[in-house]
Amino acid sequence: MSSFNRRLFLLSGAALAGCGFTPAYGPGGAATRLQNAVLVDEPDSRPGYLLTRRFEERLGRANPGRYALSYSIVITENAIAISSNNVITRYNMLGKVTFALRDIDTDKVLTSGKADSFTSYSASGTTVATQAAKRDAEARLMTILTDMIITRLTAEAGTLPT
């Protein structure tokens, strides 16, 4: 690393410290309010289980929680590739999660929103391979959607009551 690059790196760190920048998950960061504090609604489906599992992987399991996360998941599929024999060979899996973060003590909704994304899977193999690809696509989709929710909650963590 050249001396110019080193100086630029050190000065940029000083500039961020001077403007009040704090890492979200660093000591005193706003997102630490969410760690081990959000109780996710009990899942009633595989996508719900995948959402809950990813959420707890990232933010920890709340016991007891300060906040409660309610959600509703809608997943649809669209055929996007059809062979000359009129056989579907690829699907898009579209997912949408509507969520609300509530204060457990007051049951007041603190923030709410929607996350949507998509993923695809191939249906050109055997029935077993297609089912495996579909389950994998569902898992990938729920990871994407959960990460989007966590990013949104992290961005708004500074406004949450302590």
Side-chain angles (χ1 to χ4, degrees):
M1 184 183 258
S2 72
S3 62
F4 176 74
N5 287 342
R6 240 179 265 131
R7 279 182 281 174
L8 182 63
F9 177 73
L10 293 173
L11 288 175
S12 64
L16 286 175
C19 74
F21 172 78
T22 308
Y25 292 103
T32 57
R33 295 179 189 174
L34 298 173
Q35 291 180 322
N36 299 313
V38 180
L39 188 61
V40 182
D41 282 356
E42 187 174 315
D44 61 356
S45 63
R46 183 172 188 273
Y49 165 75
L50 294 169
L51 181 139
T52 302
R53 183 180 74 183
R54 178 68 176 169
F55 202 92
E56 290 178 352
E57 283 174 3
R58 296 261 326 260
L59 294 178
R61 182 177 291 187
N63 189 17
R66 169 79 172 93
Y67 310 107
L69 182 75
S70 301
Y71 60 88
S72 172
I73 302 170
V74 176
I75 295 178
T76 58
E77 292 182 27
N78 294 331
I80 59 170
I82 301 175
S83 71
S84 59
N85 302 354
N86 208 24
V87 175
I88 298 169
T89 59
R90 190 151 190 86
Y91 287 94
N92 259 0
M93 185 177 287
L94 304 135
K96 181 176 178 180
V97 178
T98 306
F99 65 92
L101 186 73
R102 299 182 328 275
D103 184 307
I104 287 182
D105 296 333
T106 63
D107 204 36
K108 178 183 173 191
V109 174
L110 304 172
T111 188
S112 62
K114 295 177 184 176
D116 56 55
S117 191
F118 75 96
T119 189
S120 300
Y121 67 94
S122 173
S124 61
T126 65
T127 303
V128 173
T130 299
Q131 288 301 314
K134 181 178 179 175
R135 289 175 61 84
D136 180 65
E138 184 180 63
R140 285 183 283 125
L141 180 61
M142 293 315 301
T143 297
I144 293 166
L145 293 172
T146 306
D147 288 349
M148 291 173 78
I149 292 168
I150 291 171
T151 299
R152 168 88 182 268
L153 294 178
T154 300
E156 296 183 15
T159 64
L160 298 176
T162 55

